[in-house]
Amino acid sequence: MASTLIRLCSKSTSTICRRMIAQPRLIRNYAEAAAAPVAQPGQMVFTFAAPDEAYYQESTKVKQVDVPTGTGFIGILASHVPTFGVLKPGVLTVMESEGAVNKYFVSSGTYAINEDSTVQINAEEAVPIDALDKELAKSCLHKAQSELSSASTDIEKAEAQVAIQTYEEILAA
Amino acid sequence: MKMISAAKFAQAQKAIVPARAYGVGAMSLYDKTTVPAEENEKKVFVAISSDRGLCGALHSNLSRALKAEFEKETREDTKIISVGEKSKVFFQTANSKDLLMEFKEVGRNPPTFVDCAFIADQMLKSGFEFNSGKFFYNYFKSAMSQIIKEQPFYSVEGFSKSPSITVYDSIDEDVVQSYQEFQLANAVFYTLKENYTSEQGARMVSMDGATKNAGEMIDRMSLLYNRTRQAVITTELIEIISGMTAL
C-alpha cells in the first residue's frame, strides 16, 4: 500500500516537472524598438526635419513633395529615381495623401531620395510659411543690398548675395 | 546640485527628439551606401566631448575608445581632432603630435547648427586631406546609460568612389561636393547633440550621487558637532560644580 502511494507520488511529481519544463520561460524584457516603416508600392517614407523641429518623421502619408534644389525645382513622388543634392532658399510644398497641403520656407539643406523609396529632407532652417514676417524681410533685404554695394572681398559679396536671394524668396513666398 | 542638472537634462532631452530625426535622416544615405575602405587612406578621428567635467567617466571612456581604434591605424596617415577640452587633455600627453585640431567652448550651451557648421568648415580647411573618418560620440540611450558609437564620414573623393553611388541619378561633382560639405556639418551637429544630451544625463546621475554623499556628510558632521558641544557643556558643568564644592 505504502509503496503504491510512493509510486503514485513520484509519478505525479514527474508530471509536474514535465509540465514546468514544457511551459515557456516567463521573462520580462524591454519592448523591441518599433521597426522603421517600409515603403509599400506607391508609397514613400518621408522625413523632413530642421535641427530644432521635426515636421515629418518616417511618414507614409505623403503623396508628393515639391523641393527647391540647387539644380531647380523637383517634384518627388513615390518611387522617384534615387538622387541627392542640396536645397536652395525657397518654398517646400508637402502634399499629404488626405489632401492637406503644407508649405514651408527652407533656407538651405540637403535632400536624399533612396532606392527603397525613403526620402530625407534636412533643412538648416525651416518654418511654416505663415510664420514669416514680410515687413521685416523687406527691411533686411534693403540692408543686405547696401551690404552688397559696400562689400570689398569676394566672400563678403557672396554672403550678401546669398542673403539677398533668401530675402527675395521670402518676399515671393 | 541635482536639481540644476535635472533641469538642464530635461531641456536637452526635449531637444534630442527633433535633432535625432534630423540626424538619422541626414545619415541615412551613409547607411544605404557602402564605401569601400582603401589602402593607405588618410583618416581623421574626431572625439566629440565637451569642456565640462563632473559627469563621471563619460569623456575618458570615449577618448579611450578612440585611442584603441587609433592604435590600429598607421600613425602617419591618421590624425585626431578633439572637440572639447576634456578629450584634448586626454590626448595632449601621449598623442600631442597626432592632434590635428582642437575646439574649445563646447558644452556650456546646447550646440547650435552654426557652431557645427564652423567646426565642419575648419575641418575642411585644416590642410589635412582626409579620405574618411569617424566621429566618436556618446549615444544617448537613457539618463543611466550612454553608448559609445562611431559615425563614419567621407570626403568628396572617397564618397564618389562608392560603387552604390551609381544608382543615384543626375549627380555631378558640384552636387556631391556641396552635399558632402553640408553632410559633414550635419554629422557634427547630430553627434554633438547626442553627446550633449548624454553628458547632461550622466551629470544628473553623478550630481545625484554628490547630493546624497553631501547628505551623509552633513549627518556625520552634525553628530560630531553635537557630541563636541555636549562635551564642552559637561566640562563646564564639572568645573562649576567642583568650584562650588570647593567653596
Side-chain angles (χ1 to χ4, degrees):
Chain A
M1 183 66 201
S3 69
T4 22
L5 203 74
I6 287 163
R7 218 179 305 131
L8 263 174
C9 276
S10 70
K11 209 174 182 184
S12 63
T13 32
S14 68
T15 35
I16 288 170
C17 284
R18 227 176 297 136
R19 214 176 284 153
M20 274 168 79
I21 292 160
Q23 257 174 8
R25 285 172 67 201
L26 292 170
I27 301 170
R28 273 177 179 272
N29 273 325
Y30 289 113
E32 289 286 315
V38 179
Q40 304 303 319
Q43 253 186 358
M44 61 176 162
V45 180
F46 180 62
T47 304
F48 170 44
D52 48 7
E53 178 98 59
Y55 293 102
Y56 290 89
Q57 202 172 347
E58 296 184 328
S59 164
T60 50
K61 295 191 175 76
V62 174
K63 195 171 65 182
Q64 188 188 343
V65 194
D66 289 346
V67 188
T69 75
T71 48
F73 256 91
I74 60 167
I76 304 170
L77 286 157
S79 24
H80 187 283
V81 63
T83 182
F84 62 83
V86 286
L87 305 179
K88 150 179 127 37
V91 179
L92 183 141
T93 316
V94 181
M95 281 159 239
E96 291 179 13
S97 332
E98 271 136 42
V101 175
N102 294 323
K103 288 189 171 187
Y104 303 92
F105 184 82
V106 292
S107 63
S108 54
T110 59
Y111 69 94
I113 305 158
N114 299 304
E115 234 181 340
D116 51 5
S117 223
T118 54
V119 178
Q120 289 93 27
I121 296 175
N122 293 283
E124 195 180 337
E125 296 275 352
V127 285
I129 208 153
D130 45 1
L132 294 171
D133 183 350
K134 299 225 168 161
E135 287 303 311
L136 190 66
K138 214 174 270 177
S139 68
C140 287
L141 177 62
H142 289 307
K143 212 175 116 199
Q145 272 161 344
S146 67
E147 265 170 23
L148 177 65
S149 53
S150 65
S152 50
T153 62
D154 281 348
I155 292 173
E156 276 176 27
K157 263 182 203 159
E159 277 174 2
Q161 263 159 357
V162 169
I164 288 171
Q165 198 191 2
T166 311
Y167 291 128
E168 277 174 348
E169 284 296 333
I170 291 177
L171 289 175
Chain B
M1 281 186 287
K2 193 209 165 185
M3 289 219 283
I4 298 167
S5 53
K8 281 195 169 174
F9 169 69
Q11 221 172 18
Q13 201 182 20
K14 216 182 276 173
I16 191 72
V17 178
R20 193 171 276 172
Y22 182 84
V24 171
M27 296 306 120
S28 64
L29 190 68
Y30 287 161
D31 299 339
K32 291 186 201 318
T33 52
T34 47
V35 179
E38 282 176 67
E39 290 287 308
N40 303 326
E41 64 172 9
K42 288 190 173 177
K43 286 183 183 171
V44 277
F45 286 172
V46 188
I48 301 285
S49 74
S50 95
D51 289 0
R52 323 198 82 188
L54 296 176
C55 50
L58 199 71
H59 300 315
S60 41
N61 280 349
L62 183 92
S63 306
R64 238 172 252 141
L66 191 148
K67 196 166 176 177
E69 283 291 306
F70 178 75
E71 315 258 274
K72 291 179 197 159
E73 306 288 337
T74 40
R75 241 189 169 164
E76 296 75 41
D77 294 333
T78 315
K79 292 275 180 201
I80 300 172
I81 294 176
S82 78
V83 178
E85 286 281 279
K86 288 286 162 191
S87 57
K88 188 204 109 187
V89 170
F90 184 92
F91 291 117
Q92 72 180 2
T93 44
N95 300 79
S96 61
K97 278 186 189 141
D98 308 314
L99 264 179
L100 180 66
M101 279 195 282
E102 49 165 288
F103 293 96
K104 287 181 188 174
E105 290 293 310
V106 185
R108 202 165 297 272
N109 295 316
T112 63
F113 193 81
V114 179
D115 299 339
C116 301
F118 174 79
I119 292 176
D121 200 33
Q122 292 300 314
M123 278 170 69
L124 292 169
K125 281 184 192 157
S126 65
F128 182 74
E129 303 273 329
F130 56 87
N131 300 89
S132 71
K134 277 176 194 165
F135 289 103
F136 287 76
Y137 67 102
N138 283 291
Y139 175 80
F140 171 74
K141 194 176 172 200
S142 71
M144 297 297 284
S145 104
Q146 297 86 26
I147 304 160
I148 295 169
K149 280 198 177 183
E150 299 168 9
Q151 171 64 51
F153 61 93
Y154 309 98
S155 69
V156 178
E157 294 81 37
F159 193 65
S160 308
K161 279 180 198 142
S162 161
S164 38
I165 202 89
T166 49
V167 299
Y168 291 92
D169 193 33
S170 64
I171 304 299
D172 56 24
E173 191 101 329
D174 241 19
V175 171
V176 178
Q177 170 133 19
S178 34
Y179 185 82
Q180 282 303 93
E181 281 172 8
F182 212 98
Q183 205 59 339
L184 192 63
N186 282 346
V188 177
F189 177 78
Y190 173 55
T191 51
L192 213 55
K193 205 82 181 172
E194 284 282 354
N195 200 68
Y196 180 78
T197 316
S198 299
E199 190 190 323
Q200 297 302 339
R203 182 165 298 126
M204 188 176 76
V205 172
S206 82
M207 285 298 128
D208 187 26
T211 311
K212 265 187 203 146
N213 287 344
E216 263 168 42
M217 203 153 63
I218 289 166
D219 286 348
R220 219 173 49 232
M221 290 295 192
S222 49
L223 198 68
L224 186 69
Y225 169 77
N226 283 338
R227 276 191 189 149
T228 321
R229 195 176 59 118
Q230 201 67 51
V232 170
I233 293 167
T234 317
T235 335
E236 272 179 15
L237 273 178
I238 290 169
E239 273 170 10
I240 293 166
I241 293 163
S242 40
M244 283 294 282
T245 44
L247 280 174

